Amino acid sequence: MKITEIETFVVDAGWRPWQFVAIRTDEGITGYGEISEPRNPYGAIGAIDDFKPVLIGRDPREVEAIYWLLYRLGRQSPGGLLAKAIAGIELALWDIKGKALDVPVYEFFGGKIRERQRLYWSHCGTYRARHHELMGTPPIDSYDAYTALGEEVVERGFTALKTNFVIPGTPPQGYGFGNGGGDPDQIVPVEILRAFDKQLAAFSKGVGPDFEIAIDLNFNYKGEAANKICKIAEQYRMLWVEIDMYEPDALRRIKDKATVPICSGECLYGLRDYRRYFEARSMDVAMIDIPWNGFARSRDIALVAESYEINVAPHNYYSHLSTHIALHLCACVPNIRIMEVDIDDVPWKDDLTGGTPLNYENGTLAIPEGPGWGINLDEDVARKHVWERGRGPGYLPVKR
Ligand SMILES: [Mg+2]
């Protein structure tokens, strides 16, 4: 079998781009991968184009040989867009190999060790605050709206959610979501802390006692502010407080003072990054972005985390293809804390992968059974929703 063609797609997913790679073969099998780059969508795609000459004509089933070749080619520019391009390619190669041998990808990693995976509803309220008109959902115009949303999440079977810090209103005021809306000084004024408390209280009222809430602070706070926020969060039943920080010891200091679990890692790349955090005991839960690290390396990271008695959580705020890929990781590692999924989304999300909604039951999804990832990109739909070149990055900062 030989690789004959590589095509990429940058899809308009409302407020952020989703990128996909299709690798075609001379035996008619096409494998699909997803790439994680909301800020520089065509940069990651360009990196894939540059790799084409070393991929065309190769046997796509030699996944590790190709991965390490690309790794060596990119070794002097580690991480970043190049790593995301390599991950997208590696994911598509696993899909081809699974389809060629008619098995799910997790079969290459010893088979599945679970039948279903518990999920949390991510960006809960965050997307409604910003994009309710596009999604056709109620707005987040009051704290009562958070309570009503909490009730809805429970009614729809979920047992955990993750939110970001947004003060409700018309318009709502984002405070530290992504990397555009936060305070440049990474501090948290007292009145903002009070609003944060009100948001968690409103959600807690809606979801009731048998439920876990996570809050994602991204990179928006330094240690002092993060500790003040953790202190507020301690009053509630927290899944975790999520804090991104490129200094393992600084994160460890926050974790030592907090009694809420600390999750981190969605922007870390490779075992060399994660290992520093594991050795410093900086996080209770390690978030792993598979469309950045690739599948096999994500599994490596998860298993090294296991050796440090740390659970992992796939970072998955992408399409249903990524959700399937993340389920494959959950299938074949023994230390999953919980898995992320975006429930509120653009109306064409299901159409991108064949039109069938995912079958959520009691806030869980079944591990996929089909060959490869068990789901395919509908390329015609992807071509209908193109993220225009020159539109800029996704998640542009909200004016405050
Ligand atoms: Mg996060």
Side-chain angles (χ1 to χ4, degrees):
M1 190 189 295
K2 291 197 177 347
I3 296 171
T4 54
E5 191 191 350
I6 299 169
E7 190 173 347
T8 51
F9 303 85
V10 183
V11 171
D12 178 349
W15 49 94
R16 77 291 207 203
W18 285 335
Q19 300 116 316
F20 302 95
V21 54
I23 299 185
R24 306 191 207 288
T25 66
D26 59 352
E27 295 188 14
I29 296 174
T30 298
Y32 295 105
E34 187 156 352
I35 300 166
S36 159
E37 183 42 59
R39 315 287 177 181
N40 195 195
Y42 283 92
I45 294 305
I48 288 184
D49 287 341
D50 288 335
F51 281 135
K52 277 184 187 174
V54 296
L55 295 169
I56 302 294
R58 284 203 64 132
D59 187 333
R61 294 167 298 186
E62 297 171 352
V63 184
E64 285 287 78
I66 293 173
Y67 172 85
W68 289 109
L69 170 64
L70 300 182
Y71 175 87
R72 290 195 298 277
L73 287 169
R75 187 151 51 189
Q76 286 165 297
S77 304
L81 298 181
L82 212 51
K84 294 175 180 192
I86 293 171
I89 292 165
E90 187 246 17
L91 294 171
L93 295 177
W94 283 121
D95 194 31
I96 292 172
K97 193 175 177 86
K99 286 169 174 168
L101 296 173
D102 198 27
V103 292
V105 172
Y106 53 74
E107 292 295 347
F108 301 126
F109 297 85
K112 59 181 173 178
I113 58 178
R114 70 188 82 227
E115 297 297 327
R116 305 192 70 82
Q117 177 56 51
R118 182 183 174 220
L119 311 158
Y120 65 88
W121 179 323
S122 195
H123 301 103
C124 193
T126 320
Y127 288 164
R128 290 192 184 192
R130 294 180 168 200
H131 311 292
H132 71 96
E133 284 171 358
L134 172 61
M135 300 189 303
T137 59
I140 299 294
D141 52 6
S142 66
Y143 285 102
D144 287 343
Y146 276 127
T147 302
L149 176 54
E151 289 167 357
E152 180 187 334
V153 170
V154 172
E155 274 163 25
R156 291 170 69 173
F158 286 83
T159 55
L161 67 79
K162 186 165 87 184
T163 191
N164 305 86
F165 191 10
V166 181
I167 299 172
T170 312
Q173 187 183 354
Y175 203 91
F177 165 56
N179 299 307
D183 187 300
D185 298 313
Q186 296 169 285
I187 56 174
V188 62
V190 174
E191 68 271 20
I192 298 298
L193 269 179
R194 218 172 282 133
F196 175 73
D197 192 12
K198 283 171 80 173
Q199 182 177 340
L200 283 185
F203 257 133
S204 292
K205 191 175 161 197
V207 296
D210 301 322
F211 197 95
E212 293 177 300
I213 297 175
I215 179 95
D216 191 353
L217 307 181
N218 295 104
F219 279 98
N220 292 294
Y221 299 97
K222 293 204 188 298
E224 181 206 340
N227 274 122
K228 286 177 178 168
I229 291 169
C230 286
K231 194 83 187 155
I232 299 282
E234 282 167 12
Q235 305 168 84
Y236 303 97
R237 190 168 285 101
M238 299 303 293
L239 176 64
W240 63 58
V241 175
E242 192 168 328
I243 303 167
D244 297 315
M245 199 167 271
Y246 287 134
E247 183 53 57
D249 290 335
L251 190 58
R252 163 71 189 261
R253 283 170 61 87
I254 296 167
K255 177 169 156 282
D256 281 350
K257 288 183 191 166
T259 60
V260 287
I262 301 297
C263 175
S264 188
E266 70 177 45
C267 294
L268 299 184
Y269 160 71
L271 259 179
R272 286 187 181 82
D273 267 359
Y274 279 94
R275 211 171 50 198
R276 295 164 60 228
Y277 289 78
F278 294 165
E279 285 169 356
R281 310 279 168 182
S282 306
M283 50 180 76
D284 295 295
V285 178
M287 186 77 76
I288 304 176
D289 191 293
I290 308 170
W292 190 357
N293 283 281
F295 191 82
R297 300 295 83 77
S298 293
R299 184 168 183 270
D300 294 343
I301 292 162
L303 294 183
V304 172
E306 203 286 326
S307 77
Y308 283 87
E309 306 296 351
I310 293 170
N311 280 82
V312 302
H315 186 225
N316 175 50
Y317 67 120
Y318 309 109
S319 80
H320 293 332
L321 174 61
S322 168
T323 293
H324 274 59
I325 291 168
L327 285 167
H328 278 255
L329 184 71
C330 295
C332 65
V333 302
N335 53 325
I336 300 292
R337 176 63 178 88
I338 194 167
M339 181 180 136
E340 178 173 31
V341 75
D342 275 345
I343 301 300
D344 286 333
D345 221 310
V346 287
W348 56 88
K349 185 171 188 176
D350 294 341
D351 299 340
L352 256 181
T353 45
T356 311
L358 301 190
N359 187 19
Y360 299 101
E361 281 180 24
N362 302 318
T364 70
L365 278 172
I367 301 300
E369 292 291 346
W373 301 123
I375 195 167
N376 287 304
L377 181 73
D378 186 324
E379 298 185 14
D380 292 335
V381 176
R383 288 188 193 98
K384 263 189 229 158
H385 298 280
V386 175
W387 185 272
E388 296 297 336
R389 271 185 192 272
R391 176 171 163 183
Y395 302 98
L396 282 171
V398 169
K399 290 190 182 72
R400 293 199 288 122

